[in-house]
Amino acid sequence: GGINYSHFKYDHVKMGKRQVGSTFKPFVYALAMQEGWSPCYQVPNIPVSFELPEGGSWSPKNSDGKYGGMMTLKKGLATSTNSITAYVMKQFGPQAVVDLARKMGIESQLDAVPSLCLGTCDISLYEMVGANATFANQGEWIEPMFITRIEDKNGNVLQEFIPKHVEALSQETAYLTLNLMKGVCDFGTGTRLRFRYGLRNPIAGKTGTTQNNSDGWFIGITPDLVSGSWVGAEDRSVHFRSTDLGQGASMALPIFGLYMQKVYADKTLKISQGDFEKPKGVELKVETDCSKYNEKDDEEETIEFGDEFQ
């Protein structure tokens, strides 16, 4: 997984684990969808405080320092607003988020603490891509595998490996979470995919930025392909000098954008550019079209937002 094994033996994919920042937020929102909330559900954009067992309290800050008014969950995730994620976390508790993430294939250490909602944990790129594929697989986590079978020179199968399957989410929960994550690419922190890389097809995604701009992340989900990119150095003290340069939208998203341009240009791959399929035989119990409410969710306005971890 390194750029040059002679000099960099760090595994960037499976063994290496790094702070994931805001790319963890969809797991928190998925819990809300599982509990019957709608992507259009509005919550107050105000500071949220958590009482800590050891005493004192913790209250995350928004990267832009702005609060006030009501905000839909879809806009909250699209703009990576910390106070909205913290509000959701407070309703259900850290342990419920940990339990859901475990079902989705996250095996790394997850401390059931309030700051988990902002992605303070270290997780591998392998785990993050596998977990996000659960949304595209209509709620089923399928263990990602590097090798599916081994054959001899005559084509005889010597060994076949069958991945694990776990029904982690309901089909409705998975579909609603994808609806939320599409907002990231349509009018949130991932809009560069649209105006810079010309990707117009439905894409669900999430950017992530960590402390000191040391790690930049982007997870991109399409119906046929789930991909993840991470940018950082083996030594965490190596970092970008500003959030403009070091946020996931600036350093990890471009990898996905250029990569998907080539994927779609290669017709032999037969990768669909269609939308995510609604669950068959399942009637959605909540509204997903936020334009039907008074609060239009600002979907007509395309703005780039930072998602600095705080």
Side-chain angles (χ1 to χ4, degrees), residues 76-154:
L77 183 63
T79 58
S80 207
T81 303
N82 291 338
S83 59
I84 304 300
T85 311
Y87 180 93
V88 177
M89 171 69 94
K90 192 165 186 177
Q91 308 311 305
F92 303 108
Q95 188 58 54
V97 177
V98 171
D99 293 342
L100 184 65
R102 291 279 181 245
K103 291 181 180 178
M104 297 175 67
I106 302 295
E107 297 181 348
S108 295
Q109 175 68 33
L110 298 176
D111 295 327
V113 295
S115 60
L116 178 65
C117 70
L118 302 188
T120 53
C121 48
D122 285 8
I123 302 176
S124 70
L125 183 61
Y126 167 84
E127 290 174 280
M128 289 298 290
V129 173
N132 278 274
T134 305
F135 300 129
N137 287 329
Q138 296 190 331
E140 184 178 24
W141 175 74
I142 302 175
E143 179 186 19
M145 304 192 74
F146 293 101
I147 301 172
T148 56
R149 69 178 181 271
I150 300 173
E151 300 177 353
D152 65 14
K153 63 179 182 180
N154 298 316

Side-chain angles (χ1 to χ4, degrees), residues 203-217:
I203 300 174
K206 188 67 192 81
T207 54
T209 311
T210 67
Q211 291 168 319
N212 298 322
N213 306 304
S214 296
D215 303 272
W217 292 77

